[in-house]
Every structure is written in C-alpha cells, then in structure tokens.
C-alpha cells in the first residue's frame, strides 16, 4: 500500500511526515564477530546498508553475504555489492539463482535456494545472522538455524510482508470467544484519563483504543515494528500471536494484545 502510494502520488518537492529509523534489526559494524547476511528478493535492501556500514567501519570483518534470486534479471544491487566489496578482504559473496537464464552463467554461485545446508557448507564459525526475505525463506532459515543449535539471540530478522493472519470470522462489534484473553475487562487509558469496558469485541487493544477516540502510535499492526509498544501499568495482557518485535520489560504491543485480567491500565 505504501509503495504504491509513493509511486502514484509523491513527487520531488512533496513533503512527508516520517518517523526516524526504529527497531532491533541493527548491525553494529564495529565488533569483529563474524556475521552472516541472508536475503532473497527485495530483502537484500537492508543488507546493503549493513554491508556498506561494515565496509566503512570494519572492512576486515569476516562476513558472508548470501542472496537468492530467480535469475539475473531480478537480481537487485549486483553492481553496488561488487563496488562495496572492494577492499573487504573478509567478505564472501554467494548468489543462488533458482531459475537461471543462459546469460546468467558465471554470474551466480549455485542453483536452488538459500538454505541452511548451503550456509553450513560455507560458514563454520560461530556468527551473528541477519535475515530478510519472503515469509517462506524466513521461516525455513530460522527453523533450520534453530535445529543447528544457533542461539536465538544470534538470529535477527526483518519481515517485509506481514505474516498470514487468521481471517476474521466475527462481525465487528461482536465478542469473539475464539480469540485469547478476557471477554470482559475494565481498561484504563491512564494518560488520557479514560476508563472503558472491554467486551471482547475488538481484535486487540490498539483497535479498542482507536474506537474510543485515542490515536496511539502504530505502524505494522502485526507485532513486527514495535511502534505501538506501551507501558502496562496494571494487570495482564495476552498476545494473540507471538510478537516479532522485541518488547521492553513492562511494556506490551497493543496491536496484538488483549486484556488478560479483569482490570488493566495502559500508559496511553
Ligand atoms: S504497530 Fe507494529 S508492533 Fe504494533
């Protein structure tokens, strides 16, 4: 939605209200620990920023750059990676094409998909992993690294599409007993001085807050970006799905949570 809007309506000179970068998908370029950057499709985009940061701040760092594409026609940033790689003696690049064209011969390293056996065949060191790609790619790599015993805190990822969510089956305004959490609760929005009754008739506390006139910060509405994080002052909440964003202790992601106790209070 956002990309189409930008292409259709925004020109040079347009003024946009934007947020600064946010989130935990961040590579500190300074340490010397080996790092593995894994992407497919347009998931290569954040990897470019990471690669360039290491090129400037720590060009000797051991770094593997795996990227999967269908063929050379849709392989983004090939030239830019080649230029950035100059002088990075610790860098190993591995391109995987799933359906290479005849003219691609000599421009990729293996045929198929980026997967854990391939990664393991090249990466023997303990390393930090950064992943960005399609949902299927992310799911299989994360599961494979976990099965290989890579600690979860060494694997960071960023989704560029939302995970599939269960289709809504309940008409708006009706309680959905299938969703987790309390069907009745008293919710206080402490900063706004509002106390309202929750009757299970909203998917999450963000939608509930909006229905009562509040405008909490939010972006993805899927537990990915962390923008809606809010301090929980009293009570408990239950997440409808595991959050992707990391959440500070004492805070909750209101876009995926529902009341889990008879009374809750949020710093909103
Ligand atoms: S809006 Fe992105 S995590 Fe809630």
């Amino acid at each position: 939605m956002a990309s189409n809007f930008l292409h259709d309506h925004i020109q040079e000179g347009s003024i946009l209200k934007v947020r600064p970068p946010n989130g935990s998908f961040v590579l500190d370029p300074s340490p010397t620990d080996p790092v593995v950057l894994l992407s497919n499709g347009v998931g290569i985009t954040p990897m470019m920023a990471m690669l360039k940061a290491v090129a400037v701040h720590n060009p000797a760092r051991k770094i593997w750059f795996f990227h999967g594409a269908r063929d050379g026609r849709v392989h983004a940033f090939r030239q830019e990676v080649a230029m950035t790689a100059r002088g990075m003696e610790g860098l190993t690049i591995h391109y995987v094409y799933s359906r290479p064209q005849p003219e691609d011969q000599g421009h990729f390293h293996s045929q198929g998909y980026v997967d854990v056996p391939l990664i393991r065949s090249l990466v023997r060191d303990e390393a930090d992993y950064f992943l960005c790609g399609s949902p299927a790619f992310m799911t299989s790599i994360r599961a494979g690294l976990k099965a290989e015993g890579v600690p979860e805190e060494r694997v960071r990822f960023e989704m560029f599409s939302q995970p599939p969510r269960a289709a809504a089956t309940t008409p708006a305004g009706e309680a959905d007993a299938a969703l987790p959490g309390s069907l009745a609760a008293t919710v206080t929005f402490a900063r706004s001085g509002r106390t309202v009754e929750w009757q299970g008739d909203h998917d999450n506390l963000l939608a509930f807050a909006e229905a009562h006139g509040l405008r909490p910060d939010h972006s993805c509405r899927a537990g990915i970006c962390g923008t809606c994080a809010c301090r929980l002052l009293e009570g408990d909440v239950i997440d409808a799905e595991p959050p992707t964003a990391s959440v500070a202790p004492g805070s909750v992601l209101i876009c995926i949570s529902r009341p889990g106790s008879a009374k809750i209070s949020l710093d909103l």
Side-chain angles (χ1 to χ4, degrees):
M1 187 190 295
S3 303
N4 287 335
F5 180 84
L6 293 173
H7 283 291
D8 293 345
H9 301 287
I10 303 302
Q11 293 98 34
E12 189 175 346
S14 300
I15 295 177
L16 303 174
K17 197 171 165 187
V18 299
R19 288 181 190 285
N22 185 21
S24 58
F25 192 63
V26 176
L27 170 65
D28 179 349
S30 306
T32 51
D33 315 23
V35 64
V36 184
L37 304 181
L38 298 157
S39 61
N40 72 357
V42 295
I44 195 173
T45 312
M47 304 307 170
M48 291 307 302
M50 293 178 179
L51 190 67
K52 287 179 180 179
V54 175
V56 170
H57 296 283
N58 201 355
R61 189 170 182 176
K62 219 168 179 183
I63 178 164
W64 288 267
F65 189 96
F66 289 91
H67 178 66
R70 190 178 64 222
D71 58 44
R73 295 172 301 182
V74 291
H75 180 170
F77 293 117
R78 168 185 274 286
Q79 293 304 327
E80 218 165 316
V81 169
M83 284 168 58
T84 307
R86 287 180 197 151
M88 296 183 75
E89 64 259 36
L91 174 65
T92 302
I93 297 172
H94 192 99
Y95 292 140
V96 186
Y97 287 0
S98 57
R99 275 176 277 158
Q101 299 294 306
E103 64 271 21
D104 291 331
Q105 291 312 318
H107 297 292
F108 65 101
H109 302 92
S110 60
Q111 184 167 352
Y113 297 93
V114 177
D115 58 18
V116 171
L118 170 68
I119 297 163
R120 274 286 164 255
S121 71
L122 293 173
V123 181
R124 305 255 156 67
D125 308 47
E126 288 195 357
D128 291 317
Y129 292 80
F130 289 79
L131 286 67
C132 187
S134 62
F137 168 84
M138 307 277 284
T139 303
S140 78
I141 302 266
R142 285 175 66 198
L145 291 176
K146 192 172 177 185
E148 290 281 321
V150 177
E152 275 185 24
E153 61 274 15
R154 300 206 80 158
V155 180
R156 301 205 194 161
F157 55 93
E158 172 117 318
M159 305 258 189
F160 61 72
S161 66
Q162 294 189 356
R165 313 189 72 186
T169 52
T170 308
E174 287 182 23
D176 185 350
L179 287 171
S182 307
L183 287 181
T186 301
V187 179
T188 299
F189 298 116
R191 249 186 299 149
S192 313
R194 307 257 336 250
T195 296
V196 276
E197 295 302 318
W198 165 275
Q199 288 163 343
D201 47 357
H202 291 85
D203 280 353
N204 51 61
L205 284 160
L206 173 59
F208 183 66
E210 290 172 329
H212 289 90
L214 278 74
R215 292 288 169 262
D217 283 346
H218 66 275
S219 180
C220 68
R221 290 181 174 272
I224 297 170
C225 69
T227 308
C228 68
C230 166
R231 280 199 308 136
L232 179 66
L233 305 174
E234 183 189 348
D236 288 314
V237 300
I238 291 181
D239 290 338
E241 55 200 83
T244 302
S246 53
V247 193
S251 290
V252 296
L253 299 178
I254 57 173
C255 70
I256 54 167
S257 61
R258 296 161 55 87
S261 57
K263 269 174 84 173
I264 67 164
S265 176
L266 292 163
D267 187 20
L268 273 179

